[in-house]
Tab-separated table of all heavy atoms in Angstrom:
chain	number	residue	atom	x	y	z
A	1	GLN	N	127.175	52.629	-98.446
A	1	GLN	CA	126.890	53.643	-99.462
A	1	GLN	C	126.798	55.057	-98.875
A	1	GLN	O	125.884	55.838	-99.177
A	1	GLN	CB	125.608	53.269	-100.215
A	1	GLN	CG	125.737	52.038	-101.091
A	1	GLN	CD	126.632	52.283	-102.295
A	1	GLN	OE1	126.269	52.964	-103.235
A	1	GLN	NE2	127.844	51.711	-102.257
A	2	ILE	N	127.762	55.387	-98.049
A	2	ILE	CA	127.731	56.651	-97.307
A	2	ILE	C	127.753	57.861	-98.241
A	2	ILE	O	126.971	58.813	-98.069
A	2	ILE	CB	128.901	56.719	-96.308
A	2	ILE	CG1	128.809	55.581	-95.278
A	2	ILE	CG2	128.939	58.070	-95.609
A	2	ILE	CD1	127.537	55.568	-94.461
A	3	LEU	N	128.637	57.857	-99.241
A	3	LEU	CA	128.732	59.037	-100.114
A	3	LEU	C	127.498	59.234	-100.990
A	3	LEU	O	126.978	60.361	-101.073
A	3	LEU	CB	130.004	58.966	-100.957
A	3	LEU	CG	131.236	59.629	-100.307
A	3	LEU	CD1	131.625	58.939	-99.020
A	3	LEU	CD2	132.416	59.640	-101.280
A	4	PRO	N	126.973	58.188	-101.639
A	4	PRO	CA	125.737	58.405	-102.403
A	4	PRO	C	124.559	58.843	-101.530
A	4	PRO	O	123.748	59.670	-101.960
A	4	PRO	CB	125.474	57.031	-103.035
A	4	PRO	CG	126.815	56.395	-103.106
A	4	PRO	CD	127.534	56.856	-101.868
A	5	LEU	N	124.462	58.307	-100.320
A	5	LEU	CA	123.376	58.712	-99.429
A	5	LEU	C	123.524	60.168	-98.993
A	5	LEU	O	122.537	60.905	-98.883
A	5	LEU	CB	123.321	57.793	-98.210
A	5	LEU	CG	122.830	56.369	-98.482
A	5	LEU	CD1	123.025	55.495	-97.247
A	5	LEU	CD2	121.355	56.368	-98.897
A	6	ASP	N	124.757	60.572	-98.754
A	6	ASP	CA	125.020	61.972	-98.407
A	6	ASP	C	124.594	62.888	-99.555
A	6	ASP	O	123.919	63.907	-99.341
A	6	ASP	CB	126.511	62.155	-98.109
A	6	ASP	CG	126.903	63.598	-97.900
A	6	ASP	OD1	126.565	64.162	-96.853
A	6	ASP	OD2	127.544	64.174	-98.811
A	7	ALA	N	124.962	62.507	-100.785
A	7	ALA	CA	124.583	63.321	-101.955
A	7	ALA	C	123.068	63.364	-102.123
A	7	ALA	O	122.490	64.415	-102.436
A	7	ALA	CB	125.243	62.754	-103.213
A	8	GLU	N	122.407	62.240	-101.901
A	8	GLU	CA	120.949	62.181	-102.023
A	8	GLU	C	120.283	63.082	-100.985
A	8	GLU	O	119.359	63.846	-101.301
A	8	GLU	CB	120.481	60.731	-101.854
A	8	GLU	CG	118.980	60.535	-101.895
A	8	GLU	CD	118.403	60.708	-103.291
A	8	GLU	OE1	119.173	60.691	-104.263
A	8	GLU	OE2	117.177	60.868	-103.402
A	9	ALA	N	120.748	63.007	-99.750
A	9	ALA	CA	120.150	63.817	-98.688
A	9	ALA	C	120.319	65.307	-98.970
A	9	ALA	O	119.416	66.106	-98.697
A	9	ALA	CB	120.781	63.458	-97.350
A	10	LYS	N	121.442	65.691	-99.553
A	10	LYS	CA	121.716	67.096	-99.811
A	10	LYS	C	120.964	67.626	-101.034
A	10	LYS	O	120.954	68.832	-101.273
A	10	LYS	CB	123.228	67.305	-99.949
A	10	LYS	CG	123.933	67.142	-98.594
A	10	LYS	CD	125.437	67.208	-98.701
A	10	LYS	CE	126.067	67.046	-97.325
A	10	LYS	NZ	127.555	66.986	-97.402
A	11	GLN	N	120.353	66.732	-101.778
A	11	GLN	CA	119.446	67.155	-102.846
A	11	GLN	C	118.006	67.222	-102.336
A	11	GLN	O	117.070	67.383	-103.114
A	11	GLN	CB	119.530	66.164	-104.013
A	11	GLN	CG	120.858	66.215	-104.746
A	11	GLN	CD	120.965	65.144	-105.821
A	11	GLN	OE1	119.978	64.510	-106.168
A	11	GLN	NE2	122.171	64.947	-106.346
A	12	LEU	N	117.869	67.105	-101.022
A	12	LEU	CA	116.564	67.137	-100.351
A	12	LEU	C	115.677	65.992	-100.851
A	12	LEU	O	114.459	66.142	-100.972
A	12	LEU	CB	115.880	68.498	-100.559
A	12	LEU	CG	116.745	69.726	-100.242
A	12	LEU	CD1	115.939	71.000	-100.440
A	12	LEU	CD2	117.298	69.653	-98.829
A	13	GLY	N	116.300	64.870	-101.101
A	13	GLY	CA	115.553	63.721	-101.596
A	13	GLY	C	115.733	62.521	-100.694
A	13	GLY	O	116.732	62.386	-99.986
A	14	TRP	N	114.783	61.627	-100.677
A	14	TRP	CA	114.834	60.461	-99.797
A	14	TRP	C	114.439	59.194	-100.545
A	14	TRP	O	113.775	58.316	-100.028
A	14	TRP	CB	113.898	60.660	-98.600
A	14	TRP	CG	114.333	61.793	-97.731
A	14	TRP	CD1	113.821	63.054	-97.720
A	14	TRP	CD2	115.386	61.786	-96.762
A	14	TRP	NE1	114.478	63.839	-96.805
A	14	TRP	CE2	115.460	63.079	-96.195
A	14	TRP	CE3	116.291	60.828	-96.312
A	14	TRP	CZ2	116.362	63.428	-95.210
A	14	TRP	CZ3	117.192	61.163	-95.323
A	14	TRP	CH2	117.230	62.449	-94.782
A	15	ASN	N	114.854	59.078	-101.785
A	15	ASN	CA	114.486	57.905	-102.561
A	15	ASN	C	115.375	56.694	-102.271
A	15	ASN	O	115.008	55.570	-102.568
A	15	ASN	CB	114.557	58.218	-104.066
A	15	ASN	CG	113.489	59.210	-104.476
A	15	ASN	OD1	112.372	59.153	-103.988
A	15	ASN	ND2	113.838	60.134	-105.375
A	16	ILE	N	116.539	56.959	-101.668
A	16	ILE	CA	117.516	55.910	-101.345
A	16	ILE	C	117.721	55.002	-102.561
A	16	ILE	O	117.467	53.793	-102.540
A	16	ILE	CB	117.119	55.095	-100.081
A	16	ILE	CG1	116.654	56.034	-98.960
A	16	ILE	CG2	118.298	54.255	-99.590
A	16	ILE	CD1	116.345	55.348	-97.646
A	17	ARG	N	118.190	55.597	-103.613
A	17	ARG	CA	118.372	54.878	-104.871
A	17	ARG	C	119.397	53.755	-104.784
A	17	ARG	O	119.420	52.857	-105.633
A	17	ARG	CB	118.785	55.865	-105.966
A	17	ARG	CG	117.719	56.903	-106.310
A	17	ARG	CD	118.210	57.849	-107.382
A	17	ARG	NE	117.168	58.778	-107.800
A	17	ARG	CZ	116.937	59.950	-107.197
A	17	ARG	NH1	117.674	60.312	-106.165
A	17	ARG	NH2	115.963	60.742	-107.628
A	18	VAL	N	120.258	53.806	-103.785
A	18	VAL	CA	121.341	52.819	-103.699
A	18	VAL	C	120.966	51.619	-102.832
A	18	VAL	O	121.830	50.823	-102.460
A	18	VAL	CB	122.633	53.461	-103.149
A	18	VAL	CG1	123.186	54.468	-104.141
A	18	VAL	CG2	122.387	54.110	-101.789
A	19	THR	N	119.704	51.454	-102.513
A	19	THR	CA	119.272	50.335	-101.666
A	19	THR	C	119.861	48.997	-102.098
A	19	THR	O	120.308	48.216	-101.231
A	19	THR	CB	117.740	50.248	-101.631
A	19	THR	OG1	117.229	51.433	-101.023
A	19	THR	CG2	117.275	49.040	-100.813
A	20	PRO	N	119.917	48.646	-103.389
A	20	PRO	CA	120.457	47.333	-103.772
A	20	PRO	C	121.922	47.110	-103.374
A	20	PRO	O	122.376	45.976	-103.320
A	20	PRO	CB	120.304	47.326	-105.302
A	20	PRO	CG	119.200	48.289	-105.581
A	20	PRO	CD	119.361	49.360	-104.551
A	21	LYS	N	122.646	48.207	-103.132
A	21	LYS	CA	124.058	48.059	-102.765
A	21	LYS	C	124.288	48.079	-101.254
A	21	LYS	O	125.408	47.840	-100.796
A	21	LYS	CB	124.895	49.170	-103.416
A	21	LYS	CG	124.990	49.052	-104.925
A	21	LYS	CD	125.925	50.100	-105.481
A	21	LYS	CE	126.039	49.969	-106.998
A	21	LYS	NZ	126.983	50.964	-107.557
A	22	LEU	N	123.276	48.387	-100.468
A	22	LEU	CA	123.414	48.427	-99.014
A	22	LEU	C	123.439	46.997	-98.482
A	22	LEU	O	122.530	46.210	-98.746
A	22	LEU	CB	122.263	49.217	-98.387
A	22	LEU	CG	122.287	50.717	-98.654
A	22	LEU	CD1	120.963	51.356	-98.270
A	22	LEU	CD2	123.427	51.371	-97.894
A	23	ARG	N	124.513	46.651	-97.723
A	23	ARG	CA	124.717	45.271	-97.340
A	23	ARG	C	124.828	45.093	-95.828
A	23	ARG	O	125.270	45.990	-95.111
A	23	ARG	CB	126.000	44.729	-97.995
A	23	ARG	CG	126.050	44.866	-99.509
A	23	ARG	CD	124.913	44.130	-100.207
A	23	ARG	NE	124.925	42.706	-99.891
A	23	ARG	CZ	125.656	41.795	-100.530
A	23	ARG	NH1	126.433	42.164	-101.527
A	23	ARG	NH2	125.590	40.527	-100.181
A	24	ARG	N	124.425	43.913	-95.363
A	24	ARG	CA	124.618	43.502	-93.971
A	24	ARG	C	126.005	42.869	-93.857
A	24	ARG	O	126.307	41.864	-94.501
A	24	ARG	CB	123.545	42.499	-93.554
A	24	ARG	CG	123.697	41.995	-92.132
A	24	ARG	CD	122.644	40.962	-91.779
A	24	ARG	NE	121.308	41.567	-91.719
A	24	ARG	CZ	120.204	40.873	-91.495
A	24	ARG	NH1	120.263	39.553	-91.329
A	24	ARG	NH2	119.039	41.490	-91.431
A	25	LEU	N	126.840	43.421	-93.005
A	25	LEU	CA	128.238	42.993	-92.958
A	25	LEU	C	128.390	41.522	-92.602
A	25	LEU	O	129.273	40.824	-93.126
A	25	LEU	CB	129.024	43.850	-91.957
A	25	LEU	CG	128.989	45.369	-92.156
A	25	LEU	CD1	129.966	46.038	-91.210
A	25	LEU	CD2	129.277	45.768	-93.596
A	26	SER	N	127.544	41.036	-91.732
A	26	SER	CA	127.691	39.659	-91.262
A	26	SER	C	127.399	38.633	-92.348
A	26	SER	O	127.678	37.436	-92.171
A	26	SER	CB	126.783	39.414	-90.057
A	26	SER	OG	125.420	39.578	-90.411
A	27	THR	N	126.858	39.065	-93.483
A	27	THR	CA	126.603	38.147	-94.590
A	27	THR	C	127.716	38.196	-95.636
A	27	THR	O	127.645	37.472	-96.627
A	27	THR	CB	125.268	38.484	-95.279
A	27	THR	OG1	125.394	39.741	-95.974
A	27	THR	CG2	124.134	38.560	-94.280
A	28	LEU	N	128.718	39.035	-95.427
A	28	LEU	CA	129.727	39.291	-96.448
A	28	LEU	C	131.066	38.642	-96.119
A	28	LEU	O	131.430	38.486	-94.944
A	28	LEU	CB	129.938	40.797	-96.616
A	28	LEU	CG	128.697	41.636	-96.964
A	28	LEU	CD1	129.090	43.091	-97.112
A	28	LEU	CD2	128.020	41.116	-98.222
A	29	THR	N	131.810	38.320	-97.163
A	29	THR	CA	133.172	37.803	-97.025
A	29	THR	C	134.169	38.897	-97.374
A	29	THR	O	134.090	39.507	-98.447
A	29	THR	CB	133.391	36.587	-97.934
A	29	THR	OG1	132.534	35.516	-97.496
A	29	THR	CG2	134.836	36.116	-97.883
A	30	PHE	N	135.070	39.142	-96.452
A	30	PHE	CA	136.107	40.171	-96.599
A	30	PHE	C	137.389	39.450	-96.986
A	30	PHE	O	137.963	38.697	-96.200
A	30	PHE	CB	136.275	40.906	-95.264
A	30	PHE	CG	137.032	42.201	-95.325
A	30	PHE	CD1	136.351	43.412	-95.311
A	30	PHE	CD2	138.421	42.224	-95.371
A	30	PHE	CE1	137.040	44.615	-95.350
A	30	PHE	CE2	139.116	43.421	-95.417
A	30	PHE	CZ	138.420	44.622	-95.400
A	31	GLY	N	137.854	39.664	-98.232
A	31	GLY	CA	139.026	38.961	-98.737
A	31	GLY	C	140.258	39.840	-98.742
A	31	GLY	O	140.254	40.920	-99.333
A	32	ILE	N	141.302	39.373	-98.097
A	32	ILE	CA	142.531	40.144	-97.948
A	32	ILE	C	143.654	39.486	-98.747
A	32	ILE	O	143.875	38.279	-98.660
A	32	ILE	CB	142.937	40.238	-96.463
A	32	ILE	CG1	141.932	41.106	-95.707
A	32	ILE	CG2	144.350	40.787	-96.306
A	32	ILE	CD1	142.183	41.173	-94.221
A	33	VAL	N	144.363	40.285	-99.529
A	33	VAL	CA	145.561	39.827	-100.229
A	33	VAL	C	146.765	40.431	-99.523
A	33	VAL	O	146.956	41.644	-99.552
A	33	VAL	CB	145.542	40.243	-101.710
A	33	VAL	CG1	146.836	39.802	-102.398
A	33	VAL	CG2	144.339	39.650	-102.420
A	34	GLY	N	147.547	39.592	-98.851
A	34	GLY	CA	148.728	40.051	-98.122
A	34	GLY	C	148.456	40.212	-96.640
A	34	GLY	O	147.850	41.199	-96.230
């Protein structure tokens, strides 16, 4: 969530509203078509 965090920081805020979308890569499946 790099872009939302950047926008949040530039509003001088630290609520980290996007916490539910921040993921640990090792728990995720990366699916490729082609």
Side-chain angles (χ1 to χ4, degrees):
Q1 292 291 287
I2 299 301
L3 270 63
L5 289 171
D6 173 73
E8 177 72 15
K10 289 175 180 175
Q11 291 175 12
L12 310 182
W14 295 100
N15 292 322
I16 315 185
R17 295 179 175 88
V18 293
T19 296
K21 292 185 179 182
L22 290 167
R23 305 300 301 275
R24 178 182 292 177
L25 305 188
S26 62
T27 69
L28 303 181
T29 295
F30 195 101
I32 291 176
V33 178

